[in-house]
Amino acid sequence: MLIAILLGFIFSLFLVITGKFFKGKFSILAAGVPLALFIYFTQFISRISNGEVITQFHSWIPAFGVNLGFTLDGLSLLFSLMITGIGFLVFVYTSAYLKGHKYLDRFYGYLSMFMAAMLGLVLSDNLISLFVFWELTSITSFFLIGFNNTSRESRKSALIALAITGIGGLSLLVGALFLGSITGTYSIAEMLTMNPEIASNPYYILIVLLIFGAAFTKSAQFPFHFWLPGAMKAPTPVSTYLHSATMVKAGIYLLMRLTPVLGDHEFWNTTLIIVGAVTMVYSAIHTLFRTDLKGVLAYSTISALGILVFLIGQGTVEALTAAAVFVIVHALYKATLFLVTGIIDHQTGTRDTTVLRGLRKVLLPVAIAGFLAALSSAGIPPTIGFIGKELTYESTFHFGNMAILLMGLIVITKILLLYAGFVAGIKPFTGVLPERFENTKMPSFLMWLPPVLLALGCIVFGIFPGLIEGSLVKPMVSSMGLDGKEIHLKLFHGFNIILLLSVITIAAGTVLYFMIEPTKKRENWVAKFEKISPQTVITNSWTNFIKFSNGWTNLFQNGYLRNYVSTIMIFLIALTGYSLFSKANFAVDFNSFSPITVYEAATSVVMLIAIGYTVFTRSRLAAVASMGIIGYAICILFVIYSAPDLAMTQFSIDTLTVILFVLVLYKLPKYLKLSDYKMRIRDGILSLAFGTIITLLILEVLAEPKSSEVSDYYAANAYILAHGKNVVNVILVDFRGSDTMIEISVLAIAAIGVFALLKLRLKKSDQR
């Protein structure tokens, strides 16, 4: 399994690096990798269907419990087959759709990288490694959504998608850390037996909210759904791959995977049902107001994801069976419809449903694929969509006291999704062909064959549901902690209320399709409510946060060094002063200090005179000279206290500082007034307060009992370990050599920066 993931990443890097040499000449060969991986995973079907769980373990960061552990069970196998199988068809489709594009190989590289990240996500057993792959899918999807980087809308959509899913990734990381701290492991397999302990933990609700934050942002649940319609700016292969079978299903996968760990709890089930119900109804209604084929498919995708969340929330065997089947159903028909939409856009130059009609006369194979996919989307027999709809109705019908309300919501949603499926899969091909489309040509078979194969899958799996029953559905339900042995998929369940509801759904949806024609007027009308939409609310909140951040930054980072220094000093005075004066036993024994010598007194007097002269003199050069005297006086004190190294360092710094000050002041206007008496009074008070606090702090340190263990260690080992007699030097270059190296590096970087600025200034002067 690790080899499969690594193969995807290596292949993606190869395509990105070598693309400029091959320039898409061998693009069709890129489909070989997902095909090989699809064949690789199919060999595990028989073993998984027999109840076997295949695991691999590779040590990564064992000290933190982070390892590359991979698990292949029913759930991860189904998703792996979708990722590689539909990935193969998308790769083939892309070779014709983007034929001649100068960045085709780069596009394949991004697709391969995304495929590898998705495989890593669904196969990971360790929550931290799952988070790593989770974020990789967000990053690679950013590249794919923003592939047309010359378009402002594409760049904006990519950034929004990255921001929303990135926040969800952070939520996942925090939730994983909480789970790890409670269970003592990051292995999902080991957590499966700890559901009671996790549910009884006081942090359970917080953990569930964090996991929901990750899943809802990734799978576009209300109110985080708006990134997905915006992502339709991406090329059609991206929309097909990411938004039908892979990325948007990552959140669904996470909920399914953690159902045995966090599920079977009222908060888990109720929240998922409410969020799923709101999302599926809200988004299904939106399909009535969209005229762009991709817009219709985007909102119907969000609605379908809401149905999956709704079913996971029910948590019963019937519901999870319906969810497992619907994952397959949605991947097949939605991928088909996206590919069909791409062909229509590629060949006609438009996706506007108000003008598209009659294309069956020029795009017959594409029309057949769209028609079959629309039937599966509507849940009309003998498609697999009909079985999925029946299972959904049956599980909801048997769900406790809220069954009637929930049945009403799911039936309304299915009616609206039937309308959306017919608009996307049937409407563009029926009616009279407009004159503007009469010259439309059939695309390459590499474009129309993938949707036809997927559409045939909708029919084949519907007529022969046994093909997926034992091999995919039962193992998938079992991997979610329930017994899937009694699951039996049938196309016809007999005459009952569920069948009656299906008939009502099909009839009502068909009537709705013939009654409501997509119009720009209706789309413009719903646009009036954008001001209160979740996207506008979240976007405005983000904009206001940016404004607040800019104001806060401008307040404190205003470009005045004196303000920076003043702010730092005020903070230190407040913090240190509170710490000192809050102590009830703060006292200093002055009798313990050694008496003041004549040398110390004389040096101190010179220092005080120099300070006074610096403060009150009107000459800038005299003030600088006085500051130099203060520094030299400190050097003398260091010498008195037997610290010649510090004295030499201080002497060098003060000499250099005085020289630099003189050079800077020399360039200033002679009579420039830099401060007034108010500023001096303020600065004086601040300086006195800061000096007083530092003095009290030093006295407090001196009053504390001395511990000489560290000093004794350095004195005893300086010569033995480092072969140096100067203890201070040994500490700087040996015991704390890394610190010194970093400090030198910082100074070197600063020096290079200064040199670059000076060189740039000299260059500008020469140009003048």
Side-chain angles (χ1 to χ4, degrees):
M1 286 179 278
L2 179 61
I3 294 176
I5 298 168
L6 290 176
L7 178 61
F9 280 120
I10 293 172
F11 183 63
S12 66
L13 292 174
F14 171 78
L15 289 172
V16 172
I17 295 172
T18 62
K20 62 181 181 180
F21 301 108
F22 297 113
K23 297 181 180 179
K25 294 179 180 178
F26 309 103
S27 59
I28 187 62
L29 299 179
V33 171
L35 177 61
L37 292 176
F38 178 76
I39 296 171
Y40 169 76
F41 284 110
T42 55
Q43 68 177 329
F44 296 106
I45 293 178
S46 60
R47 296 169 62 182
I48 300 300
S49 61
N50 291 327
E52 185 178 351
V53 176
I54 302 168
T55 59
Q56 284 186 2
F57 180 85
H58 304 276
S59 181
W60 187 17
I61 315 175
F64 292 97
V66 180
N67 301 293
L68 291 175
F70 300 103
T71 298
L72 188 64
D73 57 7
L75 182 59
S76 54
L77 176 63
L78 173 61
F79 276 85
S80 297
L81 290 173
M82 287 197 307
I83 292 165
T84 54
I86 295 181
F88 163 67
L89 295 177
V90 169
F91 271 62
V92 172
Y93 179 92
T94 302
S95 65
Y97 186 85
L98 292 178
K99 184 178 181 181
H101 198 290
K102 62 179 180 178
Y103 295 128
L104 176 58
D105 296 282
R106 182 185 297 178
F107 184 81
Y108 273 131
Y110 295 155
L111 272 182
S112 301
M113 195 177 299
F114 176 82
M115 178 185 67
M118 277 300 305
L119 286 175
L121 191 157
V122 301
L123 293 171
S124 290
D125 176 62
N126 189 283
L127 277 177
I128 302 301
S129 60
L130 186 150
F131 159 75
V132 172
F133 289 116
W134 182 281
E135 290 298 85
L136 282 174
T137 61
S138 296
I139 294 169
T140 50
S141 67
F142 168 77
F143 292 136
L144 289 167
I145 295 171
F147 181 70
N148 296 324
N149 51 39
T150 56
S151 168
R152 182 178 180 275
E153 290 299 319
S154 293
R155 297 195 302 270
K156 181 180 178 181
S157 298
L159 284 171
I160 291 175
L162 180 64
I164 297 296
T165 57
I167 292 172
L170 180 61
S171 179
L172 173 61
L173 175 61
V174 178
L177 293 175
F178 267 108
L179 276 173
S181 66
I182 293 172
T183 61
T185 179
Y186 291 115
S187 171
I188 299 174
E190 295 178 13
M191 293 180 185
L192 294 178
T193 59
M194 301 182 186
N195 180 281
E197 292 86 346
I198 298 172
S200 60
N201 191 278
Y203 292 107
Y204 172 79
I205 301 297
L206 177 60
I207 292 171
V208 169
L209 289 175
L210 290 168
I211 297 301
F212 283 169
F216 293 166
T217 52
K218 202 76 161 183
S219 289
Q221 296 300 287
F222 184 91
F224 307 108
H225 63 282
F226 58 85
W227 71 263
L228 200 153
M232 294 298 114
K233 300 293 187 299
T236 297
V238 176
S239 302
T240 304
Y241 197 33
L242 272 65
H243 307 138
S244 67
T246 53
M247 179 176 171
V248 294
K249 294 277 178 48
I252 302 300
Y253 168 83
L254 182 68
L255 294 175
M256 288 180 167
R257 176 59 75 193
L258 294 182
T259 290
V261 179
L262 299 172
D264 197 21
H265 189 283
E266 183 179 0
F267 181 74
W268 172 275
N269 295 340
T270 304
T271 305
L272 289 180
I273 289 174
I274 293 174
V275 173
V278 171
T279 302
M280 68 184 187
V281 176
Y282 173 85
S283 301
I285 292 173
H286 262 277
T287 60
L288 297 172
F289 302 94
R290 305 296 158 181
T291 58
D292 183 286
L293 282 175
K294 273 195 172 184
V296 173
L297 294 178
Y299 279 100
S300 64
T301 297
I302 298 170
S303 183
L305 295 170
I307 293 174
L308 286 170
V309 172
F310 175 79
L311 292 172
I312 296 170
Q314 294 180 27
T316 62
V317 175
E318 288 181 325
L320 293 181
T321 302
V325 173
F326 192 63
V327 166
I328 300 172
V329 171
H330 181 257
L332 289 173
Y333 81 71
K334 191 53 64 71
T336 303
L337 291 176
F338 267 118
L339 294 177
V340 167
T341 297
I343 293 173
I344 293 173
D345 188 21
H346 189 273
Q347 299 304 115
T348 66
T350 182
R351 300 194 302 262
D352 189 351
T353 57
T354 62
V355 299
L356 289 170
R357 63 180 66 89
L359 292 178
R360 70 189 183 283
K361 297 180 180 180
V362 289
L363 300 172
L364 184 58
V366 183
I368 294 173
F371 181 76
L372 295 178
L375 293 181
S376 186
S377 171
I380 297 175
T383 65
I384 185 66
F386 175 75
I387 299 176
K389 177 162 62 65
E390 292 275 292
L391 291 172
T392 302
Y393 282 177
E394 188 172 358
S395 67
T396 307
F397 184 74
H398 295 151
F399 189 72
N401 299 327
M402 301 293 291
I404 296 177
L405 173 61
L406 298 181
M407 278 301 302
L409 294 175
I410 192 67
V411 169
I412 291 172
T413 301
K414 286 292 185 179
I415 290 173
L416 295 173
L417 288 183
L418 183 149
Y419 167 84
F422 278 16
V423 169
I426 295 179
K427 186 184 182 305
F429 304 103
T430 56
V432 179
L433 180 67
E435 184 178 349
R436 60 182 288 193
F437 300 136
E438 289 180 353
N439 295 325
T440 301
K441 297 181 179 180
M442 271 293 295
S444 165
F445 79 97
L446 295 176
M447 285 184 70
W448 61 258
L449 184 59
V452 168
L453 292 176
L454 289 168
L456 289 175
C458 296
I459 300 297
V460 172
F461 291 142
I463 298 174
F464 306 104
L467 293 174
I468 60 173
E469 178 188 299
S471 59
L472 297 176
V473 177
K474 285 185 177 181
M476 183 174 176
V477 174
S478 298
S479 65
M480 288 185 276
L482 298 176
D483 186 5
K485 295 180 181 179
E486 300 301 321
I487 295 173
H488 299 288
L489 302 182
K490 293 185 294 184
L491 185 61
F492 182 68
H493 290 78
F495 294 98
N496 50 34
I497 192 170
I498 303 302
L499 181 62
L500 176 62
L501 289 172
S502 290
V503 173
I504 293 173
T505 301
I506 295 170
T510 304
V511 170
L512 186 67
Y513 169 70
F514 285 107
M515 287 182 59
I516 299 180
E517 184 79 10
T519 61
K520 293 289 185 181
K521 183 178 180 181
R522 192 163 57 250
E523 187 174 40
N524 295 333
W525 178 82
V526 79
K528 297 178 181 178
F529 298 95
E530 283 296 316
K531 293 181 180 180
I532 58 173
S533 68
Q535 179 176 1
T536 303
V537 172
I538 294 176
T539 303
N540 288 342
S541 300
W542 176 255
T543 303
N544 291 330
F545 177 76
I546 294 296
K547 290 180 179 178
F548 170 77
S549 301
N550 290 333
W552 186 266
T553 302
N554 293 333
L555 177 63
F556 289 98
Q557 301 292 327
N558 48 32
Y560 292 98
L561 181 60
R562 60 175 180 268
N563 290 344
Y564 299 162
V565 176
S566 299
T567 302
I568 294 171
M569 290 175 66
I570 292 171
F571 177 78
L572 289 176
I573 290 169
L575 185 65
T576 310
Y578 174 79
S579 177
L580 287 174
F581 294 111
S582 62
K583 294 182 179 180
N585 58 347
F586 176 72
V588 179
D589 183 13
F590 290 98
N591 295 323
S592 62
F593 297 155
S594 60
I596 299 176
T597 65
V598 176
Y599 308 107
E600 294 170 349
T603 305
S604 300
V605 170
V606 171
M607 190 185 304
L608 290 172
I609 295 172
I611 291 172
Y613 194 80
T614 302
V615 172
F616 295 106
T617 184
R618 293 180 176 273
S619 171
R620 292 197 291 261
L621 290 178
V624 171
S626 299
M627 289 179 63
I629 293 173
I630 296 170
Y632 292 152
I634 295 174
C635 293
I636 295 173
L637 290 177
F638 287 153
V639 172
I640 293 173
Y641 287 104
S642 303
D645 291 346
L646 286 176
M648 288 302 299
T649 303
Q650 180 73 23
F651 177 81
S652 302
I653 292 173
D654 268 295
T655 303
L656 182 61
T657 302
V658 170
I659 294 172
L660 290 175
F661 263 123
V662 171
L663 292 175
V664 171
L665 294 175
Y666 178 75
K667 293 291 184 178
L668 291 177
K670 292 183 178 181
Y671 302 104
L672 179 64
K673 190 175 182 181
L674 299 175
S675 63
D676 54 23
Y677 74 96
K678 292 182 180 180
M679 295 175 62
R680 293 194 177 195
I681 292 174
R682 181 201 64 189
D683 295 342
I685 294 172
L686 187 60
S687 300
L688 287 172
F690 187 71
T692 302
I693 287 295
I694 295 299
T695 302
L696 293 175
L697 183 63
I698 293 171
L699 293 175
E700 174 72 7
V701 171
L702 292 174
E704 291 292 325
K706 293 182 179 180
S707 177
S708 60
E709 293 181 7
V710 177
S711 301
D712 294 340
Y713 173 82
Y714 285 138
N717 292 281
Y719 186 77
I720 297 173
L721 298 179
H723 307 290
K725 295 182 179 180
N726 189 310
V727 179
V728 175
N729 288 349
V730 169
I731 292 173
L732 290 175
V733 300
D734 283 283
F735 291 118
R736 297 185 61 183
S738 298
D739 291 349
T740 305
M741 183 184 70
I742 293 172
E743 291 171 0
I744 293 172
S745 301
V746 171
L747 290 173
I749 293 170
I752 293 171
V754 171
F755 175 75
L757 291 174
L758 291 174
K759 189 174 181 180
L760 180 63
R761 183 174 180 181
L762 291 173
K763 185 177 181 181
K764 288 182 178 179
S765 299
D766 293 339
Q767 290 176 351
R768 292 174 186 174

